[in-house]
Amino acid sequence: MNATASVKTNDRELHLSLKERVEVIRSNRYFLMIFPFAMLALMIVIFGVATQGRFFKPSVLKGILSQAIIIGTCATGVAFIYSNGNLDISIGAVLGMASTLGVLAHNATGSVSVFVLVSVGTALALMAFNCTMSVVCHIKTITVAIVVTQIYGAITTLLIGGAGKIEIPYEVSSGMEDGGFRYIAFFAYFLFCVIIYHYTKVGRELRFLGGNESCAQQTGMSNAKATYISFLMTGLGVGLAAVFSVIDVSAVSVETGNGLGMDVMLATVLGGMSIFGGARSNAYAGLVGALTVAALNKGLLMVGVSSALIQGIRGVIFLALVYLNSERQKLLPSRVQF
């Protein structure tokens, strides 16, 4: 009898549909542990071969690391927003405006401290405004993000003016780079986020709200409070990333931050986290994902793929990964995503 049942089970496994096979893979407990590192390794091998080793030149690797730090800082912060089931795609516009005001403040005062404080303060204020529009006016965060992206972009363009960019003295950016400001600030922020997210009550509440808002609210958790905390944590990261982006090129332009929102979302899912929140959320997914996204962007450019086609390729990859990393349907009703 047992032998017959075993044969039937094996026969069923052999005839699983493609959808069922994908479900088995993504349900495996080790999938999220292996997937991010497997994707990063795959990118390195593919582009290493495709560029005949040019991908491993120090200058190329340094460029990838510089981009990964900017994406990773934003992605680490945005994990707080994603964890409780919200979406915000205005990250690039916020970074652009924060870096613009920071550079203008520095050029007016000559102070590096003012540059950093204005950049971070602007990002915090803009993210707080986004959150207020959602919490107080009851507008979905994704809707707010779409609108403010246009507003912040227009303000940034007006501030920069006809020149198209504003430069900061090279000795300032090189001094901050030589002093290791980017690396120290990034790892300090990353460690702070991991502690808050995984070892405090705030982080547990965010994940609970993202997994099942109705149930969480019945236990006395405040979604409004959690949303403000998540947006402010993100604002801090975006502000630091704004400083990093200026250090990278010694200037800010109307193009600063373009495409960053997509890079951050792609880094999140490549890092093995669902952008719809819940138990699978974590604060460190964006770090590995950011390295993969930066390698993908640089590798595609090096093999001659056009910028427009790169956007399409990233979009296809993103949709596939969102499906793979999405939360499975639970027995209890969960929050409405859209």
Side-chain angles (χ1 to χ4, degrees):
M1 181 73 101
N2 291 336
T4 303
S6 177
V7 170
K8 288 183 177 180
T9 301
N10 292 334
D11 185 63
R12 181 178 179 278
E13 290 177 351
L14 289 173
H15 293 85
L16 289 175
S17 66
L18 178 60
K19 182 177 180 180
E20 289 173 327
R21 290 179 186 276
V22 171
E23 181 64 27
V24 169
I25 293 172
R26 71 171 185 161
S27 300
N28 189 287
R29 58 184 295 188
Y30 299 109
F31 173 72
L32 293 182
M33 296 171 58
I34 298 173
F35 174 76
F37 297 98
M39 288 297 296
L40 178 58
L42 182 63
M43 293 293 172
I44 292 173
V45 171
I46 289 176
F47 292 122
V49 173
T51 61
Q52 298 179 337
R54 290 183 293 112
F55 187 76
F56 300 112
K57 286 185 176 180
S59 58
V60 174
L61 295 178
K62 183 179 179 180
I64 291 173
L65 181 60
S66 295
Q67 186 183 12
I69 287 178
I70 296 173
I71 298 172
T73 305
C74 292
T76 301
V78 168
F80 285 84
I81 293 179
Y82 292 163
S83 65
N84 68 335
N86 290 313
L87 287 172
D88 192 306
I89 59 172
S90 66
I91 304 302
V94 172
L95 182 143
M97 188 169 171
S99 56
T100 299
L101 289 174
V103 170
L104 288 173
H106 173 271
N107 291 347
T109 64
S111 171
V112 173
S113 297
V114 170
F115 162 50
V116 175
L117 290 174
V118 170
S119 297
V120 173
T122 299
L124 283 168
L126 295 180
M127 294 306 294
F129 174 76
N130 292 4
C131 183
T132 300
M133 291 298 294
S134 177
V135 172
V136 176
C137 300
H138 304 291
I139 305 173
K140 288 188 179 295
T141 54
I142 185 64
T143 305
V144 173
I146 292 171
V147 175
V148 298
T149 294
Q150 303 301 318
I151 296 173
Y152 299 158
I155 294 173
T156 299
T157 300
L158 289 173
L159 289 172
I160 292 177
K165 70 175 181 178
I166 304 174
E167 296 183 347
I168 195 171
Y170 177 74
E171 56 269 21
V172 173
S173 59
S174 61
M176 295 179 75
E177 176 68 11
D178 294 339
F181 175 80
R182 285 198 296 178
Y183 307 102
I184 295 171
F186 168 73
F187 283 110
Y189 174 70
F190 178 76
L191 183 61
F192 176 63
C193 286
V194 169
I195 292 173
I196 295 296
Y197 199 91
H198 293 282
Y199 300 102
T200 67
K201 179 181 177 181
V202 171
R204 290 191 294 271
E205 288 186 353
L206 283 170
R207 295 195 299 277
F208 194 5
L209 283 162
N212 196 298
E213 183 181 7
S214 300
C215 185
Q217 288 181 337
Q218 302 241 351
T219 65
M221 295 181 187
S222 171
N223 188 47
K225 175 184 174 182
T227 303
Y228 268 108
I229 291 173
S230 66
F231 272 75
L232 290 175
M233 289 295 292
T234 301
L236 178 59
V238 175
L240 288 174
V243 177
F244 301 160
S245 67
V246 173
I247 293 175
D248 197 32
V249 295
S250 300
V252 61
S253 73
V254 292
E255 301 296 325
T256 300
N258 283 1
L260 183 62
M262 184 62 186
D263 282 338
V264 168
M265 288 195 292
L266 186 54
T268 301
V269 294
L270 278 170
M273 174 180 163
S274 170
I275 63 170
F276 300 124
R280 288 188 170 190
S281 302
N282 61 73
Y284 47 81
L287 180 56
V288 178
L291 287 169
T292 308
V293 170
L296 175 66
N297 291 341
K298 189 67 174 179
L300 289 174
L301 283 174
M302 290 183 70
V303 297
V305 179
S306 67
S307 298
L309 187 54
I310 289 175
Q311 295 293 335
I313 293 172
R314 293 192 307 176
V316 172
I317 294 174
F318 174 72
L319 290 175
L321 294 176
V322 166
Y323 171 71
L324 285 174
N325 292 344
S326 62
E327 289 284 340
R328 295 184 299 278
Q329 189 67 36
K330 305 295 189 295
L331 293 177
L332 291 175
S334 60
R335 68 181 293 128
V336 177
Q337 302 295 347
F338 301 102

